[in-house]
Each structure stands twice: as C-alpha cells, then as structure tokens.
Amino acid sequence: MTPSFMILFAWFAFAGTHLWMSASGLRERLAPHYGHMGFTLIYLIVTVLSLSILIASLALYGDQGLAGFQLTTPFLLWSLRIGSAVGAFLVVTGLIGYPKSPIAILARRIGTSQNNNPLRPPTGIARITRHPFFVGLALISLCHIFLASSLAIATFFVGLFVISALGIPLQDRKLRNRWAAVYARYEQQSSTLPFGSLHKQTDKPTTKDWISWIICLLVAIALFGVFHPLWTHANGAGFVILILIYGTLGTVIGIVKGLKARRLD
C-alpha cells in the first residue's frame, strides 16, 4: 500500500463510522435502549477510536511517498497563508463559542420541557456564519492541500476538506429534522457562507461581539502562528490531536450539562 492509500483508508474508517452514526438514523434506533446521552457516549468512543487510527496513519506515513504541490509562487503562497489564517480564526471562534451554538443548546434541551422554545437570533460569530468550525476547517484544509510537502499529507487534507464540507448540510438536516420549526427559523436568520446573512440582521455587532472576536483572533495567532511548529510535528498529527481533545472535552461537558438540565427540569 502507498502512504497516500494508507491515509485514505484511515479516512474511510473514520468518515464511514462517523457519518453512519450521525446521519443514518442510528441514533433514533438506539436512543430508546441507551438514552440520548448513552448514545452520545457510544458515539464519542467510536469517534475517538477511529480518529486515533487516522492520527497514527498520518504520523507514520505522512512524510513518505511522492512529493506534494508545495506551491511557492509568492502571490499564491501568501493567498494560501491568508486563507489559512482566516480559517484558523473561524475554527477558534467555533470552538470557543460552541457552548452557545444551536447544536449545543438544543442537545441540552433533549428530555426537557424546553423543546419548543425559539432559539435566540444569531449573535457573535454566528452573525458571520452559523458553521464557523466547519467553514474554518474546510478553508484551512483547502489551502493546505496546495501547501503540503507530500502527496500523503495532501490526501489527508483532501479528506479533511470533504468531511468538513459534508458536515455542514448533514448537521443542518439533522437539527432541522429533530427540531423542525425551531431550527428552521434560526436557519432563515443565518447563513453558511460567511457574511451571507448580514442583510437580514437589523442590529449591529455589540461591543461584547467585538471583544470576543479580538480574543479569538489573538488565540488563533497564538495557536496557529506561534505554535505552528507543534502542528507540523508528526506530519500534522498534532493538529488533529488538538481537535480530538477539544471535541472530547466539549462532548463530555455537554453530557454533564444535559444531565443537570434534566434534573432541574
């Protein structure tokens, strides 16, 4: 097997299990037996295991095989770097703002009497895009396909771009199916494409929004600028490990908050 094929195989293992569990209706079949929180825990375990295979494959085979595109033309190089920086900002804002995102808020409502309560209009980064993490990750991936030093690493970023782009409509469909008019109304007030819903917003960003964005920008500069050598270590596996750790912590915190909300309801 070539290095690129090994990484592609690992991507299929992760993406296949991830999409099957999140988009196939498996939750609806298993939730009556294990509960929504129980299914979320099973989903988390499978995600950690499958993503660990991808991380190991990238670390072991990423620097082997054919060379990547490695574009060096100054204009293209700086365009890709700027695109990556914008993507990093969106990823950080998505991670920091996750507890206040619709998917987190609605997950905490499962099993409570708040199911029909409308969501607040988009605030913070949701004014720009309702999927900052996915859009940012897709932008970083797209740029790094052409910055990658090997074809194997480029293959990894192709997979990351595809899973990020697919995650947007799949997440929207899942929330729309489960929460009907509650989420549909929120969709009408926001957009996936950055700045696509500004014309729908009658109020302007608050001082709190600007402060939050500046903090996210500084965090993005620190994480992806100052500490960039860490993410290139082990062929970029460190970047995926960061996502895995944060995602795991976020899911666990969401489960705990959901259990608390049920007890208080």
PDB file of all heavy atoms in Angstrom, residues 171-186:
ATOM      1  N   GLN A 171     -25.328  18.327   9.322  1.00  0.00           N
ATOM      2  CA  GLN A 171     -25.705  18.866  10.627  1.00  0.00           C
ATOM      3  C   GLN A 171     -26.988  19.673  10.540  1.00  0.00           C
ATOM      4  O   GLN A 171     -27.868  19.556  11.399  1.00  0.00           O
ATOM      5  CB  GLN A 171     -24.582  19.720  11.196  1.00  0.00           C
ATOM      6  CG  GLN A 171     -24.817  20.147  12.636  1.00  0.00           C
ATOM      7  CD  GLN A 171     -23.671  20.946  13.194  1.00  0.00           C
ATOM      8  OE1 GLN A 171     -23.664  22.175  13.127  1.00  0.00           O
ATOM      9  NE2 GLN A 171     -22.673  20.263  13.734  1.00  0.00           N
ATOM     10  N   ASP A 172     -27.112  20.482   9.483  1.00  0.00           N
ATOM     11  CA  ASP A 172     -28.333  21.255   9.299  1.00  0.00           C
ATOM     12  C   ASP A 172     -29.541  20.334   9.164  1.00  0.00           C
ATOM     13  O   ASP A 172     -30.598  20.567   9.774  1.00  0.00           O
ATOM     14  CB  ASP A 172     -28.223  22.135   8.052  1.00  0.00           C
ATOM     15  CG  ASP A 172     -27.469  23.426   8.324  1.00  0.00           C
ATOM     16  OD1 ASP A 172     -27.397  23.839   9.496  1.00  0.00           O
ATOM     17  OD2 ASP A 172     -26.949  24.029   7.373  1.00  0.00           O
ATOM     18  N   ARG A 173     -29.388  19.273   8.371  1.00  0.00           N
ATOM     19  CA  ARG A 173     -30.518  18.359   8.156  1.00  0.00           C
ATOM     20  C   ARG A 173     -30.905  17.638   9.446  1.00  0.00           C
ATOM     21  O   ARG A 173     -32.093  17.501   9.759  1.00  0.00           O
ATOM     22  CB  ARG A 173     -30.153  17.319   7.084  1.00  0.00           C
ATOM     23  CG  ARG A 173     -31.328  16.430   6.684  1.00  0.00           C
ATOM     24  CD  ARG A 173     -30.921  15.372   5.695  1.00  0.00           C
ATOM     25  NE  ARG A 173     -30.069  14.359   6.308  1.00  0.00           N
ATOM     26  CZ  ARG A 173     -29.627  13.272   5.685  1.00  0.00           C
ATOM     27  NH1 ARG A 173     -29.924  13.078   4.411  1.00  0.00           N
ATOM     28  NH2 ARG A 173     -28.865  12.389   6.314  1.00  0.00           N
ATOM     29  N   LYS A 174     -29.891  17.215  10.210  1.00  0.00           N
ATOM     30  CA  LYS A 174     -30.170  16.511  11.463  1.00  0.00           C
ATOM     31  C   LYS A 174     -30.924  17.413  12.439  1.00  0.00           C
ATOM     32  O   LYS A 174     -31.927  16.992  13.039  1.00  0.00           O
ATOM     33  CB  LYS A 174     -28.858  16.045  12.088  1.00  0.00           C
ATOM     34  CG  LYS A 174     -29.036  15.323  13.417  1.00  0.00           C
ATOM     35  CD  LYS A 174     -27.702  14.825  13.950  1.00  0.00           C
ATOM     36  CE  LYS A 174     -26.817  15.971  14.365  1.00  0.00           C
ATOM     37  NZ  LYS A 174     -25.548  15.505  14.986  1.00  0.00           N
ATOM     38  N   LEU A 175     -30.463  18.652  12.584  1.00  0.00           N
ATOM     39  CA  LEU A 175     -31.120  19.574  13.517  1.00  0.00           C
ATOM     40  C   LEU A 175     -32.500  19.971  13.010  1.00  0.00           C
ATOM     41  O   LEU A 175     -33.444  20.119  13.795  1.00  0.00           O
ATOM     42  CB  LEU A 175     -30.247  20.814  13.715  1.00  0.00           C
ATOM     43  CG  LEU A 175     -28.922  20.576  14.448  1.00  0.00           C
ATOM     44  CD1 LEU A 175     -28.078  21.845  14.452  1.00  0.00           C
ATOM     45  CD2 LEU A 175     -29.165  20.100  15.867  1.00  0.00           C
ATOM     46  N   ARG A 176     -32.630  20.133  11.704  1.00  0.00           N
ATOM     47  CA  ARG A 176     -33.922  20.508  11.136  1.00  0.00           C
ATOM     48  C   ARG A 176     -34.944  19.386  11.332  1.00  0.00           C
ATOM     49  O   ARG A 176     -36.106  19.639  11.650  1.00  0.00           O
ATOM     50  CB  ARG A 176     -33.747  20.814   9.648  1.00  0.00           C
ATOM     51  CG  ARG A 176     -34.913  21.561   9.013  1.00  0.00           C
ATOM     52  CD  ARG A 176     -34.682  21.741   7.523  1.00  0.00           C
ATOM     53  NE  ARG A 176     -33.391  22.327   7.242  1.00  0.00           N
ATOM     54  CZ  ARG A 176     -32.425  21.746   6.516  1.00  0.00           C
ATOM     55  NH1 ARG A 176     -32.641  20.523   6.008  1.00  0.00           N
ATOM     56  NH2 ARG A 176     -31.289  22.352   6.290  1.00  0.00           N
ATOM     57  N   ASN A 177     -34.516  18.143  11.120  1.00  0.00           N
ATOM     58  CA  ASN A 177     -35.426  17.009  11.281  1.00  0.00           C
ATOM     59  C   ASN A 177     -35.848  16.821  12.731  1.00  0.00           C
ATOM     60  O   ASN A 177     -36.992  16.458  13.015  1.00  0.00           O
ATOM     61  CB  ASN A 177     -34.768  15.725  10.776  1.00  0.00           C
ATOM     62  CG  ASN A 177     -34.619  15.706   9.268  1.00  0.00           C
ATOM     63  OD1 ASN A 177     -35.278  16.467   8.568  1.00  0.00           O
ATOM     64  ND2 ASN A 177     -33.744  14.861   8.758  1.00  0.00           N
ATOM     65  N   ARG A 178     -34.916  17.059  13.649  1.00  0.00           N
ATOM     66  CA  ARG A 178     -35.200  16.801  15.058  1.00  0.00           C
ATOM     67  C   ARG A 178     -35.936  17.944  15.725  1.00  0.00           C
ATOM     68  O   ARG A 178     -36.740  17.736  16.628  1.00  0.00           O
ATOM     69  CB  ARG A 178     -33.894  16.511  15.803  1.00  0.00           C
ATOM     70  CG  ARG A 178     -34.106  16.000  17.229  1.00  0.00           C
ATOM     71  CD  ARG A 178     -32.777  15.698  17.879  1.00  0.00           C
ATOM     72  NE  ARG A 178     -32.023  14.733  17.109  1.00  0.00           N
ATOM     73  CZ  ARG A 178     -30.715  14.535  17.232  1.00  0.00           C
ATOM     74  NH1 ARG A 178     -30.025  15.255  18.083  1.00  0.00           N
ATOM     75  NH2 ARG A 178     -30.103  13.625  16.501  1.00  0.00           N
ATOM     76  N   TRP A 179     -35.655  19.189  15.256  1.00  0.00           N
ATOM     77  CA  TRP A 179     -36.195  20.345  15.959  1.00  0.00           C
ATOM     78  C   TRP A 179     -37.135  21.184  15.100  1.00  0.00           C
ATOM     79  O   TRP A 179     -37.601  22.232  15.540  1.00  0.00           O
ATOM     80  CB  TRP A 179     -35.058  21.223  16.481  1.00  0.00           C
ATOM     81  CG  TRP A 179     -34.178  20.476  17.425  1.00  0.00           C
ATOM     82  CD1 TRP A 179     -32.990  19.871  17.126  1.00  0.00           C
ATOM     83  CD2 TRP A 179     -34.414  20.214  18.806  1.00  0.00           C
ATOM     84  NE1 TRP A 179     -32.479  19.252  18.237  1.00  0.00           N
ATOM     85  CE2 TRP A 179     -33.325  19.454  19.289  1.00  0.00           C
ATOM     86  CE3 TRP A 179     -35.429  20.561  19.690  1.00  0.00           C
ATOM     87  CZ2 TRP A 179     -33.227  19.030  20.609  1.00  0.00           C
ATOM     88  CZ3 TRP A 179     -35.332  20.141  21.004  1.00  0.00           C
ATOM     89  CH2 TRP A 179     -34.248  19.380  21.458  1.00  0.00           C
ATOM     90  N   ALA A 180     -37.389  20.708  13.880  1.00  0.00           N
ATOM     91  CA  ALA A 180     -38.396  21.307  12.994  1.00  0.00           C
ATOM     92  C   ALA A 180     -38.327  22.831  12.951  1.00  0.00           C
ATOM     93  O   ALA A 180     -37.295  23.399  12.620  1.00  0.00           O
ATOM     94  CB  ALA A 180     -39.787  20.827  13.422  1.00  0.00           C
ATOM     95  N   ALA A 181     -39.439  23.496  13.285  1.00  0.00           N
ATOM     96  CA  ALA A 181     -39.544  24.949  13.094  1.00  0.00           C
ATOM     97  C   ALA A 181     -38.553  25.723  13.960  1.00  0.00           C
ATOM     98  O   ALA A 181     -38.146  26.834  13.594  1.00  0.00           O
ATOM     99  CB  ALA A 181     -40.960  25.409  13.402  1.00  0.00           C
ATOM    100  N   VAL A 182     -38.158  25.162  15.098  1.00  0.00           N
ATOM    101  CA  VAL A 182     -37.229  25.869  15.986  1.00  0.00           C
ATOM    102  C   VAL A 182     -35.917  26.146  15.265  1.00  0.00           C
ATOM    103  O   VAL A 182     -35.396  27.271  15.290  1.00  0.00           O
ATOM    104  CB  VAL A 182     -36.975  25.051  17.268  1.00  0.00           C
ATOM    105  CG1 VAL A 182     -35.884  25.709  18.114  1.00  0.00           C
ATOM    106  CG2 VAL A 182     -38.252  24.919  18.075  1.00  0.00           C
ATOM    107  N   TYR A 183     -35.369  25.117  14.603  1.00  0.00           N
ATOM    108  CA  TYR A 183     -34.090  25.306  13.911  1.00  0.00           C
ATOM    109  C   TYR A 183     -34.290  25.936  12.535  1.00  0.00           C
ATOM    110  O   TYR A 183     -33.447  26.702  12.070  1.00  0.00           O
ATOM    111  CB  TYR A 183     -33.358  23.975  13.758  1.00  0.00           C
ATOM    112  CG  TYR A 183     -31.956  24.153  13.228  1.00  0.00           C
ATOM    113  CD1 TYR A 183     -30.968  24.735  14.017  1.00  0.00           C
ATOM    114  CD2 TYR A 183     -31.621  23.773  11.930  1.00  0.00           C
ATOM    115  CE1 TYR A 183     -29.680  24.919  13.534  1.00  0.00           C
ATOM    116  CE2 TYR A 183     -30.338  23.948  11.448  1.00  0.00           C
ATOM    117  CZ  TYR A 183     -29.374  24.521  12.253  1.00  0.00           C
ATOM    118  OH  TYR A 183     -28.099  24.714  11.760  1.00  0.00           O
ATOM    119  N   ALA A 184     -35.402  25.629  11.869  1.00  0.00           N
ATOM    120  CA  ALA A 184     -35.657  26.204  10.542  1.00  0.00           C
ATOM    121  C   ALA A 184     -35.688  27.729  10.611  1.00  0.00           C
ATOM    122  O   ALA A 184     -35.185  28.414   9.716  1.00  0.00           O
ATOM    123  CB  ALA A 184     -36.973  25.668   9.988  1.00  0.00           C
ATOM    124  N   ARG A 185     -36.286  28.253  11.669  1.00  0.00           N
ATOM    125  CA  ARG A 185     -36.337  29.717  11.828  1.00  0.00           C
ATOM    126  C   ARG A 185     -34.926  30.282  12.020  1.00  0.00           C
ATOM    127  O   ARG A 185     -34.604  31.339  11.476  1.00  0.00           O
ATOM    128  CB  ARG A 185     -37.217  30.063  13.029  1.00  0.00           C
ATOM    129  CG  ARG A 185     -37.362  31.562  13.262  1.00  0.00           C
ATOM    130  CD  ARG A 185     -38.229  31.838  14.480  1.00  0.00           C
ATOM    131  NE  ARG A 185     -38.334  33.272  14.735  1.00  0.00           N
ATOM    132  CZ  ARG A 185     -38.928  33.808  15.791  1.00  0.00           C
ATOM    133  NH1 ARG A 185     -39.487  33.007  16.688  1.00  0.00           N
ATOM    134  NH2 ARG A 185     -38.972  35.105  15.959  1.00  0.00           N
ATOM    135  N   TYR A 186     -34.104  29.571  12.787  1.00  0.00           N
ATOM    136  CA  TYR A 186     -32.729  30.033  13.002  1.00  0.00           C
ATOM    137  C   TYR A 186     -31.952  30.024  11.684  1.00  0.00           C
ATOM    138  O   TYR A 186     -31.155  30.923  11.419  1.00  0.00           O
ATOM    139  CB  TYR A 186     -32.042  29.132  14.029  1.00  0.00           C
ATOM    140  CG  TYR A 186     -30.641  29.584  14.388  1.00  0.00           C
ATOM    141  CD1 TYR A 186     -30.434  30.557  15.357  1.00  0.00           C
ATOM    142  CD2 TYR A 186     -29.527  29.032  13.764  1.00  0.00           C
ATOM    143  CE1 TYR A 186     -29.163  30.984  15.689  1.00  0.00           C
ATOM    144  CE2 TYR A 186     -28.255  29.441  14.092  1.00  0.00           C
ATOM    145  CZ  TYR A 186     -28.073  30.420  15.059  1.00  0.00           C
ATOM    146  OH  TYR A 186     -26.801  30.834  15.368  1.00  0.00           O
TER     147      TYR A 186
END
